[in-house]
Amino acid sequence: MPFEQCIPRNFTVGEIQSYAPKLAGVYGISNPHEWIYIGVSENIQSALLVHLQDANTSVTNPRATGFVYEVCDGARRLTRQDRLVFEYEPSENRRTSR
């Protein structure tokens, strides 16, 4: 099952601050060619801003251009992340799980 909010927003400070909630949930970072990373956080907006500000991490290289998210609680959040990682196979989740 894809992300509930499936229209990607631009991976920029302005769009993250305007659209990403300061709530717990699951988020995905992508570019036009691939899903790069799917993560969980207590504060989606904060997590996305950390990824964006740390431009030298493998999550932002290859260059991330978009993000999506879902607000969900703690118990569902980890299960949902596992399902989305299985479905989308993001490059950085595969790399870090080896």
Side-chain angles (χ1 to χ4, degrees), residues 41-79:
S41 179
E42 290 292 321
N43 182 326
I44 296 168
Q45 185 180 102
S46 177
L48 288 167
L49 289 170
V50 167
H51 287 299
L52 183 64
Q53 291 168 358
D54 196 359
N56 294 323
T57 68
S58 56
V59 170
T60 55
N61 288 313
R63 181 76 179 118
T65 58
F67 73 93
V68 295
Y69 64 88
E70 284 181 22
V71 173
C72 53
D73 65 18
R76 182 172 175 259
R77 192 170 54 228
L78 293 175
T79 302

Side-chain angles (χ1 to χ4, degrees), residues 74-91:
R76 182 172 175 259
R77 192 170 54 228
L78 293 175
T79 302
R80 188 68 178 128
Q81 179 193 28
D82 289 345
R83 176 69 187 146
L84 290 165
V85 166
F86 177 78
E87 184 174 335
Y88 289 118
E89 299 181 343
S91 58

Side-chain angles (χ1 to χ4, degrees), residues 5 7-20 26-32 34-39 43-69 92:
Q5 184 271 321
I7 299 170
R9 301 289 183 181
N10 291 324
F11 193 58
T12 63
V13 171
E15 295 249 334
I16 292 169
Q17 290 175 336
S18 294
Y19 297 106
V26 182
Y27 61 92
I29 299 171
S30 64
N31 66 35
E34 69 178 330
W35 284 93
I36 299 169
Y37 183 72
I38 295 174
N43 182 326
I44 296 168
Q45 185 180 102
S46 177
L48 288 167
L49 289 170
V50 167
H51 287 299
L52 183 64
Q53 291 168 358
D54 196 359
N56 294 323
T57 68
S58 56
V59 170
T60 55
N61 288 313
R63 181 76 179 118
T65 58
F67 73 93
V68 295
Y69 64 88
E92 289 307 306

